[in-house]
Short mmCIF file of all heavy atoms in Angstrom, two decimals:
data_model
loop_
_atom_site.label_atom_id
_atom_site.label_comp_id
_atom_site.label_asym_id
_atom_site.label_seq_id
_atom_site.Cartn_x
_atom_site.Cartn_y
_atom_site.Cartn_z
N ALA P 769 115.43 130.94 110.27
CA ALA P 769 115.22 129.91 111.30
C ALA P 769 113.74 129.58 111.44
O ALA P 769 113.36 128.41 111.55
CB ALA P 769 115.80 130.37 112.63
N ALA P 770 112.89 130.61 111.43
CA ALA P 770 111.44 130.39 111.56
C ALA P 770 110.90 129.63 110.35
O ALA P 770 110.10 128.69 110.50
CB ALA P 770 110.71 131.72 111.72
N VAL P 771 111.33 130.00 109.16
CA VAL P 771 110.85 129.32 107.95
C VAL P 771 111.29 127.85 107.96
O VAL P 771 110.51 126.95 107.63
CB VAL P 771 111.36 130.04 106.68
CG1 VAL P 771 111.18 129.19 105.44
CG2 VAL P 771 110.64 131.37 106.52
N THR P 772 112.52 127.60 108.36
CA THR P 772 113.02 126.23 108.43
C THR P 772 112.20 125.41 109.43
O THR P 772 111.81 124.27 109.15
CB THR P 772 114.51 126.22 108.82
OG1 THR P 772 115.24 126.97 107.86
CG2 THR P 772 115.05 124.81 108.91
N ALA P 773 111.94 125.99 110.59
CA ALA P 773 111.17 125.28 111.61
C ALA P 773 109.74 125.02 111.14
O ALA P 773 109.20 123.93 111.35
CB ALA P 773 111.16 126.08 112.91
N VAL P 774 109.13 126.00 110.51
CA VAL P 774 107.75 125.84 110.02
C VAL P 774 107.72 124.78 108.92
O VAL P 774 106.79 123.95 108.87
CB VAL P 774 107.18 127.19 109.52
CG1 VAL P 774 105.89 127.00 108.76
CG2 VAL P 774 106.96 128.12 110.71
N ARG P 775 108.71 124.73 108.06
CA ARG P 775 108.75 123.70 107.01
C ARG P 775 108.87 122.31 107.62
O ARG P 775 108.26 121.36 107.15
CB ARG P 775 109.91 123.96 106.05
CG ARG P 775 109.60 125.08 105.09
CD ARG P 775 110.55 125.11 103.93
NE ARG P 775 110.16 126.18 103.03
CZ ARG P 775 111.01 127.03 102.47
NH1 ARG P 775 112.30 126.90 102.70
NH2 ARG P 775 110.59 127.98 101.67
N LYS P 776 109.66 122.18 108.68
CA LYS P 776 109.76 120.88 109.37
C LYS P 776 108.42 120.48 109.95
O LYS P 776 108.02 119.32 109.87
CB LYS P 776 110.83 120.94 110.47
CG LYS P 776 112.24 120.92 109.96
CD LYS P 776 113.24 120.96 111.11
CE LYS P 776 114.66 121.00 110.60
NZ LYS P 776 115.64 121.10 111.69
N LEU P 777 107.72 121.45 110.54
CA LEU P 777 106.39 121.16 111.10
C LEU P 777 105.41 120.79 109.99
O LEU P 777 104.59 119.88 110.17
CB LEU P 777 105.87 122.37 111.87
CG LEU P 777 106.57 122.64 113.20
CD1 LEU P 777 106.14 123.98 113.78
CD2 LEU P 777 106.27 121.53 114.19
N GLU P 778 105.48 121.47 108.87
CA GLU P 778 104.61 121.12 107.74
C GLU P 778 104.88 119.71 107.26
O GLU P 778 103.94 118.96 106.96
CB GLU P 778 104.83 122.10 106.58
CG GLU P 778 104.23 123.46 106.79
CD GLU P 778 104.57 124.43 105.66
OE1 GLU P 778 105.43 124.09 104.80
OE2 GLU P 778 103.98 125.52 105.62
N GLN P 779 106.15 119.34 107.17
CA GLN P 779 106.50 117.98 106.75
C GLN P 779 105.97 116.95 107.73
O GLN P 779 105.44 115.90 107.33
CB GLN P 779 108.02 117.84 106.58
CG GLN P 779 108.57 118.60 105.39
CD GLN P 779 110.10 118.61 105.36
OE1 GLN P 779 110.75 118.25 106.34
NE2 GLN P 779 110.66 119.05 104.24
N ALA P 780 106.09 117.23 109.02
CA ALA P 780 105.57 116.31 110.04
C ALA P 780 104.04 116.20 109.93
O ALA P 780 103.48 115.11 110.02
CB ALA P 780 105.98 116.77 111.43
N ALA P 781 103.38 117.34 109.73
CA ALA P 781 101.92 117.33 109.59
C ALA P 781 101.50 116.57 108.34
O ALA P 781 100.56 115.77 108.38
CB ALA P 781 101.39 118.76 109.55
N ASN P 782 102.20 116.81 107.24
CA ASN P 782 101.88 116.09 106.00
C ASN P 782 102.09 114.60 106.16
O ASN P 782 101.30 113.79 105.64
CB ASN P 782 102.70 116.63 104.84
CG ASN P 782 102.25 117.99 104.38
OD1 ASN P 782 101.12 118.41 104.64
ND2 ASN P 782 103.12 118.73 103.72
N SER P 783 103.13 114.22 106.87
CA SER P 783 103.38 112.80 107.12
C SER P 783 102.26 112.19 107.96
O SER P 783 101.78 111.09 107.68
CB SER P 783 104.73 112.64 107.83
OG SER P 783 104.94 111.30 108.16
N ALA P 784 101.84 112.92 109.00
CA ALA P 784 100.75 112.42 109.85
C ALA P 784 99.44 112.31 109.06
O ALA P 784 98.70 111.33 109.21
CB ALA P 784 100.56 113.35 111.05
N ILE P 785 99.18 113.28 108.21
CA ILE P 785 97.96 113.25 107.39
C ILE P 785 98.03 112.10 106.40
O ILE P 785 97.04 111.39 106.18
CB ILE P 785 97.76 114.61 106.69
CG1 ILE P 785 97.36 115.67 107.72
CG2 ILE P 785 96.70 114.51 105.59
CD1 ILE P 785 97.40 117.08 107.20
N SER P 786 99.19 111.88 105.82
CA SER P 786 99.35 110.78 104.87
C SER P 786 99.13 109.44 105.55
O SER P 786 98.47 108.55 105.00
CB SER P 786 100.75 110.84 104.26
OG SER P 786 100.97 109.76 103.42
N THR P 787 99.65 109.29 106.75
CA THR P 787 99.47 108.06 107.52
C THR P 787 98.00 107.85 107.85
O THR P 787 97.47 106.74 107.72
CB THR P 787 100.31 108.09 108.81
OG1 THR P 787 101.68 108.25 108.45
CG2 THR P 787 100.13 106.85 109.63
N ALA P 788 97.33 108.92 108.28
CA ALA P 788 95.90 108.83 108.61
C ALA P 788 95.08 108.49 107.36
O ALA P 788 94.13 107.70 107.43
CB ALA P 788 95.41 110.14 109.22
N ASP P 789 95.46 109.07 106.23
CA ASP P 789 94.77 108.79 104.98
C ASP P 789 94.91 107.32 104.59
O ASP P 789 93.94 106.66 104.21
CB ASP P 789 95.32 109.70 103.87
CG ASP P 789 94.58 109.53 102.57
OD1 ASP P 789 93.33 109.54 102.58
OD2 ASP P 789 95.25 109.37 101.53
N LYS P 790 96.13 106.82 104.70
CA LYS P 790 96.39 105.42 104.36
C LYS P 790 95.59 104.49 105.28
O LYS P 790 94.97 103.53 104.82
CB LYS P 790 97.88 105.12 104.46
CG LYS P 790 98.25 103.70 104.09
CD LYS P 790 99.74 103.47 104.21
CE LYS P 790 100.08 102.03 103.89
NZ LYS P 790 101.48 101.73 104.11
N SER P 791 95.60 104.80 106.55
CA SER P 791 94.89 103.98 107.53
C SER P 791 93.39 104.00 107.27
O SER P 791 92.73 102.95 107.30
CB SER P 791 95.19 104.50 108.94
OG SER P 791 94.43 103.83 109.90
N ALA P 792 92.84 105.18 107.01
CA ALA P 792 91.40 105.29 106.74
C ALA P 792 91.04 104.56 105.46
O ALA P 792 90.01 103.86 105.41
CB ALA P 792 91.00 106.77 106.64
N THR P 793 91.86 104.67 104.45
CA THR P 793 91.61 103.97 103.18
C THR P 793 91.61 102.46 103.39
O THR P 793 90.75 101.75 102.85
CB THR P 793 92.66 104.37 102.13
OG1 THR P 793 92.62 105.79 101.96
CG2 THR P 793 92.41 103.70 100.80
N GLU P 794 92.55 101.98 104.19
CA GLU P 794 92.60 100.55 104.47
C GLU P 794 91.37 100.08 105.24
O GLU P 794 90.81 99.02 104.95
CB GLU P 794 93.87 100.21 105.26
CG GLU P 794 95.13 100.30 104.44
CD GLU P 794 96.40 100.16 105.26
OE1 GLU P 794 96.33 100.09 106.51
OE2 GLU P 794 97.49 100.15 104.65
N ARG P 795 90.94 100.87 106.24
CA ARG P 795 89.74 100.50 107.01
C ARG P 795 88.49 100.51 106.13
O ARG P 795 87.63 99.63 106.25
CB ARG P 795 89.57 101.42 108.21
CG ARG P 795 90.56 101.16 109.33
CD ARG P 795 90.20 101.88 110.62
NE ARG P 795 89.97 103.30 110.46
CZ ARG P 795 90.90 104.24 110.57
NH1 ARG P 795 92.14 103.91 110.86
NH2 ARG P 795 90.59 105.52 110.43
N ILE P 796 88.39 101.49 105.24
CA ILE P 796 87.24 101.56 104.33
C ILE P 796 87.23 100.35 103.42
O ILE P 796 86.18 99.72 103.21
CB ILE P 796 87.27 102.88 103.53
CG1 ILE P 796 86.91 104.06 104.45
CG2 ILE P 796 86.30 102.82 102.35
CD1 ILE P 796 87.13 105.41 103.83
N ALA P 797 88.38 99.99 102.88
CA ALA P 797 88.47 98.81 102.00
C ALA P 797 88.08 97.54 102.76
O ALA P 797 87.36 96.68 102.22
CB ALA P 797 89.87 98.68 101.42
N LYS P 798 88.54 97.42 104.00
CA LYS P 798 88.22 96.24 104.82
C LYS P 798 86.71 96.18 105.09
O LYS P 798 86.10 95.11 104.99
CB LYS P 798 89.00 96.30 106.13
CG LYS P 798 88.81 95.08 107.00
CD LYS P 798 89.65 95.19 108.25
CE LYS P 798 89.40 93.99 109.17
NZ LYS P 798 90.14 94.11 110.42
N ASN P 799 86.11 97.33 105.41
CA ASN P 799 84.66 97.37 105.65
C ASN P 799 83.88 97.01 104.39
O ASN P 799 82.88 96.29 104.45
CB ASN P 799 84.24 98.75 106.16
CG ASN P 799 84.69 99.01 107.58
OD1 ASN P 799 85.00 98.09 108.33
ND2 ASN P 799 84.75 100.27 107.95
N GLU P 800 84.33 97.52 103.24
CA GLU P 800 83.65 97.21 101.97
C GLU P 800 83.77 95.72 101.66
O GLU P 800 82.82 95.10 101.17
CB GLU P 800 84.24 98.05 100.83
CG GLU P 800 83.83 99.50 100.87
CD GLU P 800 84.51 100.34 99.82
OE1 GLU P 800 85.44 99.84 99.12
OE2 GLU P 800 84.12 101.51 99.67
N GLU P 801 84.93 95.15 101.94
CA GLU P 801 85.14 93.72 101.71
C GLU P 801 84.19 92.89 102.59
O GLU P 801 83.58 91.93 102.12
CB GLU P 801 86.59 93.37 102.02
CG GLU P 801 86.98 91.95 101.74
CD GLU P 801 88.44 91.71 102.05
OE1 GLU P 801 89.29 92.45 101.52
OE2 GLU P 801 88.72 90.77 102.84
N GLU P 802 84.08 93.28 103.86
CA GLU P 802 83.19 92.56 104.78
C GLU P 802 81.73 92.69 104.34
O GLU P 802 80.98 91.71 104.36
CB GLU P 802 83.37 93.08 106.21
CG GLU P 802 82.43 92.48 107.23
CD GLU P 802 82.64 90.99 107.48
OE1 GLU P 802 83.66 90.44 107.03
OE2 GLU P 802 81.77 90.38 108.12
N THR P 803 81.34 93.88 103.93
CA THR P 803 79.96 94.08 103.46
C THR P 803 79.70 93.26 102.21
O THR P 803 78.63 92.65 102.07
CB THR P 803 79.68 95.58 103.21
OG1 THR P 803 79.91 96.29 104.43
CG2 THR P 803 78.26 95.81 102.76
N SER P 804 80.66 93.21 101.30
CA SER P 804 80.50 92.39 100.09
C SER P 804 80.35 90.92 100.44
O SER P 804 79.53 90.21 99.85
CB SER P 804 81.71 92.57 99.16
OG SER P 804 81.76 93.87 98.67
N ARG P 805 81.14 90.48 101.41
CA ARG P 805 81.05 89.09 101.87
C ARG P 805 79.66 88.81 102.44
O ARG P 805 79.04 87.78 102.13
CB ARG P 805 82.11 88.80 102.92
CG ARG P 805 82.20 87.33 103.31
CD ARG P 805 83.07 87.11 104.53
NE ARG P 805 82.53 87.67 105.76
CZ ARG P 805 81.51 87.15 106.46
NH1 ARG P 805 80.90 86.07 106.03
NH2 ARG P 805 81.11 87.73 107.56
N LEU P 806 79.16 89.75 103.25
CA LEU P 806 77.82 89.57 103.83
C LEU P 806 76.73 89.60 102.75
O LEU P 806 75.77 88.82 102.81
CB LEU P 806 77.56 90.65 104.88
CG LEU P 806 78.37 90.54 106.16
CD1 LEU P 806 78.16 91.78 107.03
CD2 LEU P 806 78.03 89.27 106.91
N ARG P 807 76.87 90.48 101.78
CA ARG P 807 75.89 90.53 100.68
C ARG P 807 75.85 89.20 99.93
O ARG P 807 74.77 88.70 99.61
CB ARG P 807 76.26 91.64 99.69
CG ARG P 807 75.95 93.02 100.15
CD ARG P 807 76.35 94.01 99.04
NE ARG P 807 76.47 95.34 99.55
CZ ARG P 807 75.45 96.14 99.80
NH1 ARG P 807 74.23 95.71 99.60
NH2 ARG P 807 75.65 97.35 100.27
N GLU P 808 77.02 88.64 99.64
CA GLU P 808 77.09 87.37 98.92
C GLU P 808 76.47 86.25 99.77
O GLU P 808 75.74 85.40 99.25
CB GLU P 808 78.55 87.04 98.56
CG GLU P 808 78.71 85.81 97.72
CD GLU P 808 78.08 85.92 96.34
OE1 GLU P 808 77.76 87.03 95.88
OE2 GLU P 808 77.89 84.85 95.72
N CYS P 809 76.73 86.26 101.03
CA CYS P 809 76.17 85.27 101.94
C CYS P 809 74.64 85.35 101.96
O CYS P 809 73.95 84.33 101.89
CB CYS P 809 76.75 85.49 103.34
SG CYS P 809 76.18 84.35 104.59
N VAL P 810 74.11 86.58 102.01
CA VAL P 810 72.64 86.77 102.00
C VAL P 810 72.09 86.35 100.65
O VAL P 810 71.05 85.69 100.56
CB VAL P 810 72.28 88.24 102.33
CG1 VAL P 810 70.82 88.53 102.04
CG2 VAL P 810 72.60 88.54 103.79
#
């Protein structure tokens, strides 16, 4: 029972980390795109 519960928690944590990773990657790409746009404008 403990191993099953811990595995569920690990899956939830991995899912949360994956979501945070995706979100951070998207924000980084958006920031890089904006900086590239500003560089071209300058």
